[in-house]
Amino acid sequence: ARQGAHESADGIEKLRTAAAGSPPALVAHYLECVAAARRMSGIRHAYPGSPWLAAQLLRPQDRAVCCESRTEAFVALRRALRDAARVSCENLDGYERLPALLPPVERRGLVLIDPPYEDGRDDRRRIGQALEAALRRFATGVYAVWYPIKHDADTNRWLDALRARLAQPWLSCELWLHPRDTRVGLNGSGMLVIHPPYQVDAQLRETLPWLLQALGVTTAQGGWSVESG
């Protein structure tokens, strides 16, 4: 779990304060996971990353494989998931490893692609290639790709091209806390989902505006969107 009093004060603690009322179901569930992470770690300001969250949500019949190419990050990942049942961690390039994992023996599954975007152009290229190859091997899978919003035109151009290239049912959801047409820093985040689960769009339309308000961001500064096709 990550930690940091300053970061948590500007993020998760605002959500916890706002959730004293009646938060959306997705937020309530997330905050339950955060509370569990803090109890387990003993760190007051801890908040879990996506691998830990995924591990907590596994059902008895589920399993997960987490790939991390950087050795230092892999060591931290393995340590964070050391007590997680049915989870294996591999110090490998996730793009290269993915084809061998598909199709899963269960014939159902979710692939989460969460790149560092240290070289944004290369990651965007590899995401497209990985999704095309994965869909050929596992055509019915659910694929979720996290992406940063750093410049509106660049983000939209890439998404439009990728969605047209894949030609699959999709959903894009975004939340931005700063004007999305600036190249300075991280303005927001988005998730592209191929074969989105039923009714997830309705849940997101309830959750995203609540998050924006809870974080104290005005609509003149930030915003949210849910699109599908």
Side-chain angles (χ1 to χ4, degrees):
R2 300 171 185 171
Q3 56 182 302
H6 176 69
E7 288 185 359
S8 64
D10 289 338
I12 185 64
E13 297 307 328
K14 287 185 176 180
L15 299 189
R16 293 180 69 240
T17 299
S22 181
L26 290 181
V27 175
H29 193 184
Y30 171 68
L31 292 176
E32 290 172 1
C33 290
V34 172
R38 293 180 172 182
R39 288 193 301 270
M40 293 172 65
S41 67
I43 301 173
R44 179 181 178 186
H45 299 292
Y47 57 98
S50 54
W52 191 91
L53 288 169
Q56 303 309 304
L57 297 176
L58 293 179
R59 302 167 300 176
Q61 68 268 34
D62 295 335
R63 62 187 177 87
V65 179
C66 299
C67 297
E68 172 56 59
S69 60
R70 295 182 300 168
T71 301
E72 182 179 351
F74 166 73
V75 171
L77 174 68
R78 186 172 57 182
R79 182 169 58 248
L81 298 178
R82 62 184 178 274
D83 297 324
R86 304 179 305 283
V87 178
S88 60
C89 300
E90 301 184 1
N91 190 191
L92 297 169
D93 184 301
Y95 295 118
E96 296 178 0
R97 181 73 170 107
L98 182 57
L101 298 172
L102 301 177
V105 295
E106 297 86 354
R107 314 305 294 184
R108 300 181 65 184
L110 164 68
V111 175
L112 171 62
I113 301 177
D114 184 9
Y117 292 96
E118 293 172 349
D119 183 340
R121 179 173 297 181
D122 184 60
D123 270 314
R124 288 192 290 268
R125 175 185 62 81
R126 299 191 73 188
I127 286 168
Q129 293 174 343
L131 288 175
E132 282 189 317
L135 285 164
R136 286 194 294 268
R137 297 181 64 86
F138 185 34
T140 58
V142 178
Y143 300 87
V145 181
W146 178 85
Y147 59 89
I149 300 173
K150 293 186 175 181
H151 188 259
D152 202 25
D154 293 343
T155 302
N156 290 338
R157 188 181 305 113
W158 171 64
L159 282 175
D160 288 344
L162 182 60
R163 293 184 299 222
R165 175 179 174 183
L166 297 176
Q168 299 287 331
W170 58 269
L171 179 146
S172 293
C173 59
E174 298 181 343
L175 181 73
W176 59 97
L177 309 183
H178 308 285
R180 49 184 296 144
D181 58 352
T182 175
R183 293 184 183 273
V184 179
L186 180 65
N187 303 317
S189 297
M191 187 75 79
L192 171 65
V193 183
I194 304 300
H195 302 150
Y198 178 62
Q199 290 191 334
V200 70
D201 56 335
Q203 292 178 303
L204 289 167
R205 288 190 174 93
E206 176 189 17
T207 302
L208 293 178
W210 186 94
L211 288 174
L212 198 69
Q213 183 176 16
L215 292 171
V217 180
T218 66
T219 54
Q221 181 182 11
W224 63 277
S225 69
V226 178
E227 301 178 3
S228 59

